[in-house]
Amino acid sequence: MLTPELKDLDLLRKIRMVVMDIDGTLVDPERDNFHNVLGYLWKLRRLGIGFTLATGRTYQGALATARDLETIRMKTRAMIIYNGAVVLSGGERTVMVRHALEPSAAAAVIRRFRELSCVTLAYACDTGFDLTPHETVYTEGEGGPTQEFNGMPVVRVPDLTELKTEF
């Protein structure tokens, strides 16, 4: 008969991958739980369980956490960013999947934000010839932030709906 510890270990070995959010899970400004989580992830790694990040952040915003994970040799097999709109491969961090809004849908959202007098930040994640993510954050008009949550600079344009890029 298996002891509870051995039974749990047997169940753990059936897990192939753990997918975890960053904000509020790995990183919590109210508590210093990140190093505690790293300890658990190290144990998963020793059992051969993979790990990946899934976040609403940009690539630049998720990169620091991914690098912290690499300090314990926990390489992410893939990285899911922009709330699932972009999926990067684990090793080279090249774009495997990228979903953009239809231009008419993006324009409708931008117009609605104007009606509500909201500051609009539009994120574009394009790929270069090397398939790595190239991110730009746009806003229109005067005022508003010069840098956004992930530390990315904000590019001002006269009219977001006139840009020839996908959001």
Side-chain angles (χ1 to χ4, degrees):
M1 183 170 177
L2 292 176
T3 65
E5 295 83 21
L6 291 177
K7 191 175 182 181
D8 291 343
L9 188 59
D10 194 43
L11 285 174
L12 278 175
R13 288 195 173 122
K14 293 180 182 180
I15 298 171
R16 297 288 172 244
M17 183 180 295
V18 173
V19 179
M20 192 174 283
D21 182 34
I22 295 175
D23 298 306
T25 306
L26 287 176
V27 178
D28 186 343
E30 300 299 317
R31 298 177 295 161
D32 183 25
N33 62 340
F34 186 66
H35 294 291
N36 187 34
V37 172
L38 287 178
Y40 285 110
L41 293 177
W42 176 252
K43 291 176 185 177
L44 294 179
R45 181 185 171 280
R46 288 192 341 231
L47 292 171
I49 298 171
F51 178 80
T52 194
L53 298 172
T55 182
R57 290 185 184 203
T58 63
Y59 172 62
Q60 183 174 323
L63 193 55
T65 302
R67 286 185 177 143
D68 285 343
L69 292 171
E70 289 172 1
T71 64
I72 61 164
R73 287 179 256 147
M74 188 67 139
K75 294 198 183 275
T76 56
R77 292 188 180 169
M79 189 183 308
I80 303 162
I81 55 177
Y82 289 98
N83 289 315
V86 177
V87 179
L88 304 174
S89 66
E92 312 82 39
R93 300 224 171 89
T94 57
V95 176
M96 297 182 344
V97 177
R98 180 179 160 271
H99 299 283
L101 292 174
E102 291 291 326
S104 61
V109 170
I110 292 164
R111 284 192 299 274
R112 181 65 178 138
F113 281 6
R114 285 179 189 154
E115 291 169 8
L116 297 171
S117 299
C118 294
V119 173
T120 305
L121 296 177
Y123 290 78
C125 183
D126 298 315
T127 57
F129 289 115
D130 60 355
L131 299 179
T132 59
H134 297 271
E135 301 174 299
T136 309
V137 184
Y138 299 96
T139 193
E140 62 185 10
E142 301 300 317
T146 57
Q147 192 176 51
E148 57 78 81
F149 171 78
N150 296 287
M152 296 174 59
V154 176
V155 177
R156 295 190 184 290
V157 296
D159 185 346
L160 287 170
T161 62
E162 296 295 319
L163 283 176
K164 301 297 183 219
T165 190
E166 295 178 314
F167 301 115

mmCIF file of all heavy atoms in Angstrom, residues 40-70:
data_model
loop_
_atom_site.group_PDB
_atom_site.id
_atom_site.type_symbol
_atom_site.label_atom_id
_atom_site.label_comp_id
_atom_site.label_asym_id
_atom_site.label_seq_id
_atom_site.Cartn_x
_atom_site.Cartn_y
_atom_site.Cartn_z
ATOM 1 N N TYR A 40 9.071 26.168 -4.818
ATOM 2 C CA TYR A 40 8.156 25.120 -5.270
ATOM 3 C C TYR A 40 8.422 24.742 -6.725
ATOM 4 O O TYR A 40 8.354 23.578 -7.096
ATOM 5 C CB TYR A 40 6.698 25.549 -5.097
ATOM 6 C CG TYR A 40 6.241 25.505 -3.664
ATOM 7 C CD1 TYR A 40 5.976 26.665 -2.964
ATOM 8 C CD2 TYR A 40 6.097 24.289 -3.000
ATOM 9 C CE1 TYR A 40 5.571 26.630 -1.645
ATOM 10 C CE2 TYR A 40 5.688 24.233 -1.680
ATOM 11 C CZ TYR A 40 5.428 25.413 -1.004
ATOM 12 O OH TYR A 40 5.029 25.361 0.298
ATOM 13 N N LEU A 41 8.710 25.734 -7.544
ATOM 14 C CA LEU A 41 8.983 25.459 -8.956
ATOM 15 C C LEU A 41 10.255 24.626 -9.117
ATOM 16 O O LEU A 41 10.341 23.778 -10.009
ATOM 17 C CB LEU A 41 9.086 26.758 -9.753
ATOM 18 C CG LEU A 41 7.786 27.552 -9.870
ATOM 19 C CD1 LEU A 41 8.023 28.855 -10.614
ATOM 20 C CD2 LEU A 41 6.697 26.739 -10.533
ATOM 21 N N TRP A 42 11.226 24.876 -8.255
ATOM 22 C CA TRP A 42 12.459 24.082 -8.286
ATOM 23 C C TRP A 42 12.128 22.610 -8.026
ATOM 24 O O TRP A 42 12.648 21.724 -8.688
ATOM 25 C CB TRP A 42 13.447 24.617 -7.259
ATOM 26 C CG TRP A 42 14.702 23.812 -7.160
ATOM 27 C CD1 TRP A 42 15.071 22.989 -6.141
ATOM 28 C CD2 TRP A 42 15.746 23.724 -8.129
ATOM 29 N NE1 TRP A 42 16.280 22.406 -6.407
ATOM 30 C CE2 TRP A 42 16.720 22.844 -7.628
ATOM 31 C CE3 TRP A 42 15.958 24.315 -9.359
ATOM 32 C CZ2 TRP A 42 17.886 22.521 -8.317
ATOM 33 C CZ3 TRP A 42 17.118 23.997 -10.054
ATOM 34 C CH2 TRP A 42 18.055 23.117 -9.529
ATOM 35 N N LYS A 43 11.222 22.360 -7.092
ATOM 36 C CA LYS A 43 10.810 20.987 -6.802
ATOM 37 C C LYS A 43 10.106 20.369 -8.010
ATOM 38 O O LYS A 43 10.310 19.194 -8.325
ATOM 39 C CB LYS A 43 9.904 20.945 -5.574
ATOM 40 C CG LYS A 43 10.629 21.275 -4.286
ATOM 41 C CD LYS A 43 9.680 21.313 -3.117
ATOM 42 C CE LYS A 43 10.418 21.758 -1.859
ATOM 43 N NZ LYS A 43 9.527 21.881 -0.710
ATOM 44 N N LEU A 44 9.263 21.148 -8.692
ATOM 45 C CA LEU A 44 8.588 20.656 -9.893
ATOM 46 C C LEU A 44 9.603 20.301 -10.971
ATOM 47 O O LEU A 44 9.482 19.284 -11.643
ATOM 48 C CB LEU A 44 7.609 21.706 -10.443
ATOM 49 C CG LEU A 44 6.393 22.052 -9.596
ATOM 50 C CD1 LEU A 44 5.570 23.130 -10.288
ATOM 51 C CD2 LEU A 44 5.553 20.818 -9.317
ATOM 52 N N ARG A 45 10.586 21.157 -11.124
ATOM 53 C CA ARG A 45 11.620 20.933 -12.140
ATOM 54 C C ARG A 45 12.327 19.608 -11.902
ATOM 55 O O ARG A 45 12.586 18.846 -12.825
ATOM 56 C CB ARG A 45 12.621 22.085 -12.132
ATOM 57 C CG ARG A 45 13.714 21.955 -13.167
ATOM 58 C CD ARG A 45 14.748 23.081 -12.998
ATOM 59 N NE ARG A 45 15.892 22.851 -13.830
ATOM 60 C CZ ARG A 45 16.890 22.021 -13.544
ATOM 61 N NH1 ARG A 45 16.889 21.344 -12.419
ATOM 62 N NH2 ARG A 45 17.905 21.870 -14.373
ATOM 63 N N ARG A 46 12.630 19.328 -10.637
ATOM 64 C CA ARG A 46 13.318 18.075 -10.304
ATOM 65 C C ARG A 46 12.456 16.857 -10.638
ATOM 66 O O ARG A 46 12.982 15.782 -10.881
ATOM 67 C CB ARG A 46 13.704 18.059 -8.835
ATOM 68 C CG ARG A 46 14.841 19.011 -8.535
ATOM 69 C CD ARG A 46 15.457 18.819 -7.166
ATOM 70 N NE ARG A 46 14.650 18.105 -6.211
ATOM 71 C CZ ARG A 46 14.373 18.531 -4.980
ATOM 72 N NH1 ARG A 46 14.832 19.691 -4.561
ATOM 73 N NH2 ARG A 46 13.646 17.815 -4.173
ATOM 74 N N LEU A 47 11.132 17.034 -10.665
ATOM 75 C CA LEU A 47 10.227 15.935 -11.027
ATOM 76 C C LEU A 47 9.979 15.866 -12.533
ATOM 77 O O LEU A 47 9.221 15.030 -13.000
ATOM 78 C CB LEU A 47 8.883 16.105 -10.303
ATOM 79 C CG LEU A 47 8.918 15.930 -8.787
ATOM 80 C CD1 LEU A 47 7.588 16.347 -8.177
ATOM 81 C CD2 LEU A 47 9.237 14.476 -8.432
ATOM 82 N N GLY A 48 10.608 16.782 -13.288
ATOM 83 C CA GLY A 48 10.438 16.784 -14.737
ATOM 84 C C GLY A 48 9.176 17.480 -15.204
ATOM 85 O O GLY A 48 8.747 17.297 -16.343
ATOM 86 N N ILE A 49 8.557 18.271 -14.335
ATOM 87 C CA ILE A 49 7.330 18.985 -14.686
ATOM 88 C C ILE A 49 7.699 20.321 -15.310
ATOM 89 O O ILE A 49 8.471 21.089 -14.751
ATOM 90 C CB ILE A 49 6.442 19.199 -13.432
ATOM 91 C CG1 ILE A 49 6.028 17.834 -12.878
ATOM 92 C CG2 ILE A 49 5.227 20.048 -13.769
ATOM 93 C CD1 ILE A 49 5.334 17.900 -11.528
ATOM 94 N N GLY A 50 7.151 20.588 -16.484
ATOM 95 C CA GLY A 50 7.418 21.841 -17.180
ATOM 96 C C GLY A 50 6.633 22.993 -16.584
ATOM 97 O O GLY A 50 5.730 22.802 -15.777
ATOM 98 N N PHE A 51 6.984 24.175 -17.013
ATOM 99 C CA PHE A 51 6.357 25.376 -16.483
ATOM 100 C C PHE A 51 6.279 26.426 -17.574
ATOM 101 O O PHE A 51 7.164 26.526 -18.417
ATOM 102 C CB PHE A 51 7.193 25.924 -15.314
ATOM 103 C CG PHE A 51 6.637 27.188 -14.742
ATOM 104 C CD1 PHE A 51 5.584 27.135 -13.850
ATOM 105 C CD2 PHE A 51 7.135 28.422 -15.117
ATOM 106 C CE1 PHE A 51 5.054 28.300 -13.328
ATOM 107 C CE2 PHE A 51 6.609 29.581 -14.605
ATOM 108 C CZ PHE A 51 5.567 29.516 -13.703
ATOM 109 N N THR A 52 5.208 27.197 -17.563
ATOM 110 C CA THR A 52 5.114 28.331 -18.471
ATOM 111 C C THR A 52 4.310 29.458 -17.826
ATOM 112 O O THR A 52 3.564 29.242 -16.877
ATOM 113 C CB THR A 52 4.509 27.926 -19.830
ATOM 114 O OG1 THR A 52 4.743 28.980 -20.760
ATOM 115 C CG2 THR A 52 3.028 27.671 -19.732
ATOM 116 N N LEU A 53 4.514 30.641 -18.359
ATOM 117 C CA LEU A 53 3.815 31.834 -17.888
ATOM 118 C C LEU A 53 2.636 32.138 -18.803
ATOM 119 O O LEU A 53 2.727 31.987 -20.015
ATOM 120 C CB LEU A 53 4.760 33.046 -17.900
ATOM 121 C CG LEU A 53 5.985 32.974 -17.010
ATOM 122 C CD1 LEU A 53 6.904 34.153 -17.288
ATOM 123 C CD2 LEU A 53 5.572 32.947 -15.550
ATOM 124 N N ALA A 54 1.545 32.583 -18.210
ATOM 125 C CA ALA A 54 0.385 33.077 -18.956
ATOM 126 C C ALA A 54 -0.004 34.388 -18.291
ATOM 127 O O ALA A 54 -0.311 34.412 -17.102
ATOM 128 C CB ALA A 54 -0.767 32.081 -18.903
ATOM 129 N N THR A 55 0.044 35.484 -19.039
ATOM 130 C CA THR A 55 -0.145 36.789 -18.429
ATOM 131 C C THR A 55 -0.800 37.771 -19.402
ATOM 132 O O THR A 55 -0.755 37.572 -20.611
ATOM 133 C CB THR A 55 1.210 37.351 -17.940
ATOM 134 O OG1 THR A 55 1.007 38.608 -17.309
ATOM 135 C CG2 THR A 55 2.204 37.502 -19.078
ATOM 136 N N GLY A 56 -1.355 38.799 -18.852
ATOM 137 C CA GLY A 56 -1.867 39.899 -19.665
ATOM 138 C C GLY A 56 -0.778 40.887 -20.013
ATOM 139 O O GLY A 56 -0.975 41.795 -20.812
ATOM 140 N N ARG A 57 0.381 40.704 -19.428
ATOM 141 C CA ARG A 57 1.492 41.629 -19.673
ATOM 142 C C ARG A 57 2.033 41.520 -21.092
ATOM 143 O O ARG A 57 1.792 40.550 -21.798
ATOM 144 C CB ARG A 57 2.643 41.336 -18.701
ATOM 145 C CG ARG A 57 2.365 41.708 -17.270
ATOM 146 C CD ARG A 57 3.605 41.492 -16.461
ATOM 147 N NE ARG A 57 3.374 41.750 -15.046
ATOM 148 C CZ ARG A 57 4.350 42.061 -14.204
ATOM 149 N NH1 ARG A 57 5.605 42.152 -14.626
ATOM 150 N NH2 ARG A 57 4.084 42.270 -12.947
ATOM 151 N N THR A 58 2.826 42.515 -21.435
ATOM 152 C CA THR A 58 3.559 42.495 -22.701
ATOM 153 C C THR A 58 4.754 41.562 -22.553
ATOM 154 O O THR A 58 5.081 41.101 -21.452
ATOM 155 C CB THR A 58 4.078 43.904 -23.033
ATOM 156 O OG1 THR A 58 5.005 44.300 -22.008
ATOM 157 C CG2 THR A 58 2.952 44.917 -23.136
ATOM 158 N N TYR A 59 5.440 41.318 -23.660
ATOM 159 C CA TYR A 59 6.667 40.522 -23.603
ATOM 160 C C TYR A 59 7.684 41.203 -22.692
ATOM 161 O O TYR A 59 8.269 40.575 -21.820
ATOM 162 C CB TYR A 59 7.230 40.340 -25.020
ATOM 163 C CG TYR A 59 8.586 39.698 -25.051
ATOM 164 C CD1 TYR A 59 8.776 38.407 -24.570
ATOM 165 C CD2 TYR A 59 9.680 40.366 -25.572
ATOM 166 C CE1 TYR A 59 10.024 37.807 -24.599
ATOM 167 C CE2 TYR A 59 10.928 39.774 -25.616
ATOM 168 C CZ TYR A 59 11.091 38.500 -25.129
ATOM 169 O OH TYR A 59 12.323 37.909 -25.157
ATOM 170 N N GLN A 60 7.867 42.505 -22.892
ATOM 171 C CA GLN A 60 8.825 43.235 -22.061
ATOM 172 C C GLN A 60 8.432 43.143 -20.585
ATOM 173 O O GLN A 60 9.288 43.006 -19.719
ATOM 174 C CB GLN A 60 8.912 44.697 -22.497
ATOM 175 C CG GLN A 60 9.949 45.479 -21.714
ATOM 176 C CD GLN A 60 10.142 46.888 -22.242
ATOM 177 O OE1 GLN A 60 10.102 47.112 -23.440
ATOM 178 N NE2 GLN A 60 10.337 47.822 -21.354
ATOM 179 N N GLY A 61 7.140 43.201 -20.298
ATOM 180 C CA GLY A 61 6.679 43.127 -18.920
ATOM 181 C C GLY A 61 6.850 41.755 -18.290
ATOM 182 O O GLY A 61 7.039 41.626 -17.086
ATOM 183 N N ALA A 62 6.787 40.705 -19.096
ATOM 184 C CA ALA A 62 6.927 39.336 -18.588
ATOM 185 C C ALA A 62 8.374 38.871 -18.568
ATOM 186 O O ALA A 62 8.717 37.918 -17.871
ATOM 187 C CB ALA A 62 6.094 38.387 -19.447
ATOM 188 N N LEU A 63 9.228 39.550 -19.309
ATOM 189 C CA LEU A 63 10.611 39.104 -19.482
ATOM 190 C C LEU A 63 11.394 39.043 -18.172
ATOM 191 O O LEU A 63 12.150 38.097 -17.937
ATOM 192 C CB LEU A 63 11.327 40.010 -20.484
ATOM 193 C CG LEU A 63 12.665 39.522 -21.004
ATOM 194 C CD1 LEU A 63 12.547 38.132 -21.614
ATOM 195 C CD2 LEU A 63 13.208 40.500 -22.032
ATOM 196 N N ALA A 64 11.208 40.014 -17.298
ATOM 197 C CA ALA A 64 11.949 40.015 -16.027
ATOM 198 C C ALA A 64 11.607 38.776 -15.198
ATOM 199 O O ALA A 64 12.500 38.141 -14.624
ATOM 200 C CB ALA A 64 11.656 41.284 -15.238
ATOM 201 N N THR A 65 10.335 38.417 -15.154
ATOM 202 C CA THR A 65 9.929 37.227 -14.406
ATOM 203 C C THR A 65 10.487 35.972 -15.061
ATOM 204 O O THR A 65 10.968 35.067 -14.376
ATOM 205 C CB THR A 65 8.397 37.147 -14.312
ATOM 206 O OG1 THR A 65 7.919 38.342 -13.676
ATOM 207 C CG2 THR A 65 7.951 35.945 -13.515
ATOM 208 N N ALA A 66 10.455 35.910 -16.392
ATOM 209 C CA ALA A 66 11.023 34.749 -17.096
ATOM 210 C C ALA A 66 12.516 34.615 -16.795
ATOM 211 O O ALA A 66 13.020 33.501 -16.589
ATOM 212 C CB ALA A 66 10.785 34.889 -18.598
ATOM 213 N N ARG A 67 13.211 35.721 -16.743
ATOM 214 C CA ARG A 67 14.652 35.673 -16.425
ATOM 215 C C ARG A 67 14.889 35.227 -14.992
ATOM 216 O O ARG A 67 15.844 34.498 -14.714
ATOM 217 C CB ARG A 67 15.287 37.034 -16.688
ATOM 218 C CG ARG A 67 15.452 37.298 -18.164
ATOM 219 C CD ARG A 67 16.186 38.584 -18.434
ATOM 220 N NE ARG A 67 16.389 38.767 -19.859
ATOM 221 C CZ ARG A 67 16.322 39.923 -20.468
ATOM 222 N NH1 ARG A 67 16.082 41.024 -19.793
ATOM 223 N NH2 ARG A 67 16.491 39.998 -21.772
ATOM 224 N N ASP A 68 14.020 35.674 -14.065
ATOM 225 C CA ASP A 68 14.135 35.219 -12.675
ATOM 226 C C ASP A 68 13.967 33.700 -12.601
ATOM 227 O O ASP A 68 14.648 33.033 -11.829
ATOM 228 C CB ASP A 68 13.101 35.902 -11.784
ATOM 229 C CG ASP A 68 13.455 37.336 -11.467
ATOM 230 O OD1 ASP A 68 14.633 37.727 -11.648
ATOM 231 O OD2 ASP A 68 12.555 38.084 -11.044
ATOM 232 N N LEU A 69 13.049 33.169 -13.389
ATOM 233 C CA LEU A 69 12.833 31.725 -13.401
ATOM 234 C C LEU A 69 14.059 30.994 -13.941
ATOM 235 O O LEU A 69 14.381 29.892 -13.495
ATOM 236 C CB LEU A 69 11.603 31.379 -14.241
ATOM 237 C CG LEU A 69 10.280 31.848 -13.653
ATOM 238 C CD1 LEU A 69 9.164 31.663 -14.663
ATOM 239 C CD2 LEU A 69 9.967 31.113 -12.364
ATOM 240 N N GLU A 70 14.734 31.608 -14.891
ATOM 241 C CA GLU A 70 15.928 30.984 -15.451
ATOM 242 C C GLU A 70 17.054 30.888 -14.434
ATOM 243 O O GLU A 70 17.948 30.047 -14.570
ATOM 244 C CB GLU A 70 16.385 31.730 -16.699
ATOM 245 C CG GLU A 70 15.440 31.508 -17.874
ATOM 246 C CD GLU A 70 15.737 32.383 -19.068
ATOM 247 O OE1 GLU A 70 16.711 33.184 -19.016
ATOM 248 O OE2 GLU A 70 14.997 32.271 -20.059
#
